Amino acid sequence: MNSLNTWPYRNIPVYKSNFSKIEQQIKESDVLITDGTHRIVGLNFNEKDDSPKITVQCLRSEVAYAKQVAFSNQIRIITNDKLSAYFFHKYMTGDYIMAEDFQPAARIYAKLIRAGVVKYSRK
């Protein structure tokens, strides 16, 4: 008898994923940090900026799609449960990582530079 237009369901906001926006944000990322199944946080570092930028945040149902997009665009995915949870809850998409949180992000970028995935040049 209860449909989605009746009393208990009427005022519940419906979250709709914008997959084309997520795809564009993932393409801007250098690396995605994931806990495996629940969340993904994307980072991008430009040499003109002082710290990495959070480019994308995905949750639950968007994670599988984000992994597919990252794989097809050859974007590295790193599994780090604590770091993905920390960045996901502390920052929003578009925020720059603050100085006190820069060291874990720098370690990830150091691994990517050594692997030759991310290009970095000193000026």
Side-chain angles (χ1 to χ4, degrees), residues 63-105:
V63 170
Y65 180 73
K67 286 181 179 181
Q68 290 176 350
V69 172
F71 182 74
S72 65
N73 290 292
Q74 300 175 346
I75 296 171
R76 183 68 59 103
I77 299 174
I78 294 177
T79 303
N80 188 328
D81 299 351
K82 293 179 183 178
L83 189 60
S84 69
Y86 182 74
F87 283 164
F88 189 87
H89 293 292
K90 185 165 182 179
Y91 298 104
M92 299 294 291
T93 301
D95 290 348
Y96 287 93
I97 294 177
M98 293 188 291
E100 64 264 14
D101 301 328
F102 186 74
Q103 188 173 3

Side-chain angles (χ1 to χ4, degrees), residues 30-84:
D30 295 327
V31 63
L32 298 178
I33 304 168
T34 183
D35 68 347
T37 56
H38 297 98
R39 68 182 70 84
I40 282 186
V41 177
L43 297 177
N44 182 5
F45 183 74
N46 291 327
E47 293 179 17
K48 60 185 174 186
D49 296 331
D50 292 335
S51 64
K53 180 180 179 180
I54 304 290
T55 54
V56 65
Q57 291 181 324
C58 296
L59 196 62
R60 293 186 188 99
S61 63
E62 301 166 338
V63 170
Y65 180 73
K67 286 181 179 181
Q68 290 176 350
V69 172
F71 182 74
S72 65
N73 290 292
Q74 300 175 346
I75 296 171
R76 183 68 59 103
I77 299 174
I78 294 177
T79 303
N80 188 328
D81 299 351
K82 293 179 183 178
L83 189 60
S84 69

